[in-house]
Amino acid sequence: MSAWTEDELHRISAAQEVDIAPVRSNGELRRPTPIWIVRAGSDVYVRAAYGANKGWHGVARTSRQARLRVGSVDKDVTVEDADQAVLDAVDAAYREKYGRRYAQIVDLITDPEHRATTLRLQPQHAA
C-alpha cells in the first residue's frame, strides 16, 4: 500500500529531477543532490548513476532515511532496497520518462550494475 497521494505521485512523475538529502549517522541531512526519480505503480524509485553506496546513495542505504523535495512536495522518506520483482517495471519507467532525451544515460542506468542500486522511497508518517 502506498502512502503517496495521487497529487504527490503526479508531481513526482512530472518532475525531471528531485532533490534527495539523506540523513547522516549524526541525524543531520546531507546536502541535497539532484537525481532522477520514476514512478512504477503507486511507488517511487531512484537509482545511483555513479554506482552503489557512493555519495547520497551510500548515506541513504545506511540510514534508511532521507528528505525528498520536488516543487511543493517536501517529504521525509524511508529508503529501502527495491524488490527484484519490480526492476523491469522501473527500467520501463526510466525509458518512458527519460529515454527519448537521454537514451545513452538510460541504457547505462538500466544495466545490471545500476539496476542493483534501485531504492524504493516511502513517505514517513508523522507520529
Side-chain angles (χ1 to χ4, degrees):
M1 125 176 108
S2 176
W4 296 105
T5 67
E6 278 304 315
D7 182 59
E8 290 167 338
L9 288 169
H10 174 73
R11 290 173 190 268
I12 289 168
S13 295
Q16 286 299 300
E17 291 182 332
V18 300
D19 287 327
I20 191 166
V23 176
R24 296 180 185 272
S25 60
N26 65 3
E28 293 178 3
L29 292 175
R30 185 180 186 272
R31 68 172 167 72
T33 302
I35 60 170
W36 286 358
I37 191 167
V38 295
R39 174 184 178 177
S42 58
D43 290 313
V44 296
Y45 298 90
V46 295
R47 287 186 176 159
Y50 300 109
N53 300 317
K54 296 178 184 170
W56 72 266
H57 188 267
V59 176
R61 285 195 76 212
T62 299
S63 72
R64 299 294 182 186
Q65 298 177 65
R67 179 162 298 147
L68 188 69
R69 180 173 291 147
V70 53
S72 64
V73 177
D74 192 5
K75 287 278 191 182
D76 290 325
V77 296
T78 299
V79 177
E80 58 189 51
D81 293 323
D83 188 307
Q84 295 286 316
V86 303
L87 296 183
D88 289 341
V90 173
D91 285 350
Y94 272 105
R95 287 188 185 101
E96 175 68 25
K97 185 171 182 178
Y98 301 105
R100 187 172 294 140
R101 191 164 179 197
Y102 304 104
Q104 289 180 320
I105 298 170
V106 170
D107 287 346
L108 175 69
I109 63 170
T110 56
D111 72 10
E113 177 186 347
H114 291 85
R115 282 170 56 112
T117 71
T118 307
L119 300 174
R120 179 179 175 228
L121 307 179
Q122 286 285 44
Q124 293 179 5
H125 296 289

